[in-house]
Amino acid sequence: MAIISTAGLARTFRTRHGPVQAVRGIDLTVREGEILGFLGPNGAGKTTTLRMLTTLLPPTGGAATVAGCDLAKDPAGVRRACGYVAQSGGVDPQITVREELVTQGRLYRLPKAVAAERAGELARELDLTGLLDRRCGALSGGQRRRLDIAMALTHRPKVLFLDEPTTGLDPGSRAGLWELVRGLRDRYGTTVFLTTHYLDEADALADRLVIVDRGVVAAEGTPAALKLAYGGSADATLQDTFLAITGRGPAPADAAPVAV
Amino acid sequence: MLLHDTALVYGRYLRQSLRSRFALLFGVLMPLLYLLFFGPLLTGLPLGGRGSSWQVLVPGLLLQLGLFGASFAGFMIILEKGQGVVERMRVTPVSRLALLLGRVLREATVFVFQAVLLVLAAVAMGLRAPLPGVLIGFGFVALLTVSLASLSYALAMKVATPQGFGPVVNALTLPAMLLSGLMLPMTLGPRWLDVLSHLMPLRYLVDAVRDAYVGRYATAHMLYGSLVAVGLTVLSVTVGTRVFRTAGA
Ligand SMILES: Nc1ncnc2c1ncn2[C@@H]1O[C@H](COP(=O)(O)OP(=O)(O)O)[C@@H](O)[C@H]1O
Ligand SMILES: [Mg+2]
């Protein structure tokens, strides 16, 4: 059963310097309970695709359904079904962790007492309990990410969208986050749609990869299948595979750990 | 749901204002300086109209407070866009209109509070005005801030950087202040300036509040002022709503 399916999903931005075709037509399906790695170089259109799938940005072409709700006809249904963590996160540094978690619960229309209870529950689950009364601005990078994810899990969404969740994290926090994502899928069956330009992350975490380049899907399949098909053998590195598919590296050389 | 969501958003931003008490008081500083150092210059001048010079100046200062304060309200949301707070709220089922109204009502609360402080200071300086008139004045401040804050938030949702926002707002507020006779009645000036100033919606609000401050409630100024204030509010909130509903480019 596909929990997400898109057909020709496209977005063109009108700018002063003319139109920018950020996403030119994405066709993909995601199965329920799958961890999908949405992989592509910077500027490939990953964030734009995610913003469309979460109702933040109206598509200029194509269609999509998320958890059975049509993106254009039932945006409210899509919002109820999905959680979204933007690359920049989404908390006010001046506000305490507790207040942000409770407010988020209230934005999802939980009654006050339930929202407070849910905040405590999420804090336990994401190892934030000791930090509830700290200001969000005073958290470390890894703690901030866990809070961002806690916020997105407030309403126990069926689908969780994560935009470059580990960019800027130290190796320990990255490993912790991978564990967390796997745990969500294993315990709650949450479908996770995550973008990354780290190949090691895609390799380690994703059940299936969709590789985008210049706003279209360039290849898709399990990491092993892609390596076999494009890298020449199942032992090929994902780096070589990626190069073969897109003709260039996933990120500029100075960008961060690319592959291990 | 709209009510629930608006109250929720309002509460969040009101707490934010209460956390920065200094900024809350700092906002009255500019009009207070006018009151202290400009007000006394007017006491002996023939300003036309009835009442003392304070009854002419204070209404202008109240609306000036709203004009400059609310016009820049959008700065806040530019910061929040950068932090991802705006999109984080927009993926929840929260009413889009509430995201605007909650914020705008916070602005109105803050500026009416500052207006009260300003009037108290003015009373200490020598202002004497009928209470109903003073309350009507606060009502106009509230409508003005709701209008301008809506427009300001709408503009801020559309621009990407503070650099694209500040200059535009500056270029609009200063002429608005000068052309609406906030400091001195336009009727003192040449005819062309008086005529020109009638193109500025704020002019009608100032005239109405000045009438209210001398206890004249059933005048043409009051009628036009109310109509313009309500019209401006409806128009601005409509524009703001439209932008908040569709924003995302
Ligand atoms: N609001 C916007 N206005 C104009 N161009 C945009 C906007 N958002 C993204 N783009 C452009 O669209 C392309 C894809 O961007 P994005 O989806 O952020 O890529 P990715 O997340 O894969 O790095 C880039 O060329 C980017 O500059
Ligand atoms: Mg991106």
Side-chain angles (χ1 to χ4, degrees):
Chain A
M1 235 293 278
I3 191 158
I4 301 174
S5 68
T6 74
L9 196 65
R11 172 73 200 204
T12 301
F13 290 105
R14 275 176 301 167
T15 72
R16 231 171 297 167
H17 317 290
V20 176
Q21 293 185 301
V23 175
R24 290 190 291 174
I26 298 256
D27 300 287
L28 59 79
T29 55
V30 184
R31 282 184 293 275
E32 190 153 10
E34 188 170 44
I35 298 178
L36 183 89
F38 199 56
L39 190 63
N42 284 323
K46 302 184 295 295
T47 299
T48 305
T49 304
L50 242 59
R51 292 177 68 218
M52 287 193 281
L53 290 175
T54 51
T55 76
L56 288 170
L57 193 64
T60 49
T65 59
V66 177
C69 306
D70 187 275
L71 205 55
K73 290 189 205 107
D74 185 12
V78 175
R79 286 179 197 130
R80 275 194 300 274
C82 68
Y84 171 60
V85 179
Q87 196 179 336
S88 60
V91 293
D92 184 330
Q94 303 298 329
I95 293 180
T96 65
V97 172
R98 187 191 306 279
E99 181 174 343
E100 281 293 36
L101 285 172
V102 173
T103 302
Q104 187 76 348
R106 308 271 289 137
L107 288 170
Y108 278 104
R109 313 265 170 70
L110 299 179
K112 222 176 222 166
V114 181
E117 202 174 296
R118 182 82 183 116
E121 227 171 80
L122 285 165
R124 275 194 297 284
E125 208 170 312
L126 289 142
D127 202 12
L128 296 165
T129 307
L131 306 170
L132 276 173
D133 294 308
R134 211 180 270 188
R135 283 186 307 106
C136 297
L139 301 181
S140 75
Q143 293 167 339
R144 257 292 302 274
R145 272 286 106 153
R146 295 209 301 279
L147 172 59
D148 292 331
I149 293 176
M151 304 273 290
L153 294 178
T154 298
H155 54 306
R156 303 187 195 282
K158 283 195 190 135
V159 188
L160 180 63
F161 291 95
L162 302 173
D163 197 2
E164 307 212 2
T166 64
T167 300
L169 293 191
D170 62 69
S173 307
R174 294 182 76 206
L177 207 121
W178 294 356
E179 273 313 303
L180 186 98
V181 169
R182 288 192 197 105
L184 279 175
R185 192 267 304 276
D186 295 344
R187 246 175 300 148
Y188 303 108
T190 310
T191 306
V192 182
F193 188 123
L194 72 98
T195 77
T196 183
H197 58 240
Y198 296 144
L199 296 169
D200 58 335
E201 180 159 296
D203 213 355
L205 194 53
D207 301 320
R208 204 158 56 88
L209 300 177
V210 170
I211 296 182
V212 280
D213 191 24
R214 299 186 180 91
V216 292
V217 174
E220 63 172 303
T222 62
L226 286 175
K227 285 175 194 169
L228 193 61
Y230 296 91
S233 82
D235 299 327
T237 64
L238 199 52
Q239 170 82 5
D240 291 336
T241 309
F242 193 94
L243 266 168
I245 294 170
T246 65
R248 61 191 196 281
D254 60 345
V258 171
V260 276
Chain B
M1 277 305 108
L2 177 62
L3 227 61
H4 166 274
D5 289 355
T6 302
L8 181 64
V9 175
Y10 174 74
R12 175 189 171 93
Y13 290 103
L14 194 64
R15 283 195 297 280
Q16 179 188 67
S17 290
L18 292 176
R19 264 195 305 275
S20 49
R21 292 205 185 95
F22 180 71
L24 208 54
L25 295 176
F26 197 74
V28 249
L29 191 63
M30 183 169 75
L32 201 60
L33 289 176
Y34 273 102
L35 199 65
L36 285 176
F37 303 133
F38 183 69
L41 295 180
L42 303 181
T43 44
L45 295 182
L47 297 178
R50 315 169 169 209
S52 72
S53 64
W54 298 111
Q55 285 159 295
V56 175
L57 180 64
V58 174
L61 291 181
L62 286 178
L63 295 175
Q64 184 203 39
L65 175 76
L67 171 66
F68 283 97
S71 299
F72 285 96
F75 257 124
M76 196 54 229
I77 220 167
I78 296 182
L79 286 183
E80 287 197 328
K81 277 200 291 186
Q83 293 164 347
V85 173
V86 173
E87 294 217 324
R88 161 205 144 198
M89 291 190 176
R90 292 175 59 83
V91 288
T92 74
V94 70
S95 146
R96 317 287 97 172
L97 181 55
L99 290 177
L100 174 70
L101 287 185
R103 284 184 171 88
V104 162
L105 290 177
R106 186 274 301 263
E107 284 343 306
T109 310
V110 165
F111 291 112
V112 169
F113 170 73
Q114 293 183 347
V116 171
L117 292 185
L118 189 67
V119 168
L120 289 178
V123 168
M125 298 283 296
L127 169 73
R128 295 293 172 269
L131 185 62
V134 171
L135 294 179
I136 290 174
F138 293 146
F140 275 98
V141 171
L143 287 179
L144 180 68
T145 48
V146 165
S147 307
L148 294 179
S150 298
L151 293 178
S152 181
Y153 279 125
L155 175 66
M157 285 295 274
K158 288 281 184 190
V159 302
T161 60
Q163 291 86 324
F165 179 79
V168 177
V169 177
N170 261 324
L172 293 173
T173 45
L174 201 60
M177 178 185 97
L178 292 172
L179 278 180
S180 50
L182 288 187
M183 291 300 134
L184 293 168
M186 275 299 172
T187 44
L188 294 177
R191 171 120 184 88
W192 66 266
L193 192 57
D194 192 25
V195 170
L196 187 62
S197 88
H198 277 100
L199 297 177
M200 194 56 77
L202 199 50
R203 162 77 195 259
Y204 299 89
L205 275 64
V206 189
D207 285 346
V209 181
R210 285 197 174 125
D211 271 11
Y213 266 56
V214 294
R216 302 176 65 213
Y217 308 123
T219 63
H221 280 159
M222 189 60 81
L223 176 67
Y224 291 140
S226 309
L227 287 178
V228 171
V230 171
L232 191 64
T233 306
V234 170
L235 184 75
S236 309
V237 173
T238 309
V239 169
T241 307
R242 189 158 293 179
V243 171
F244 268 66
R245 283 241 161 88
T246 59

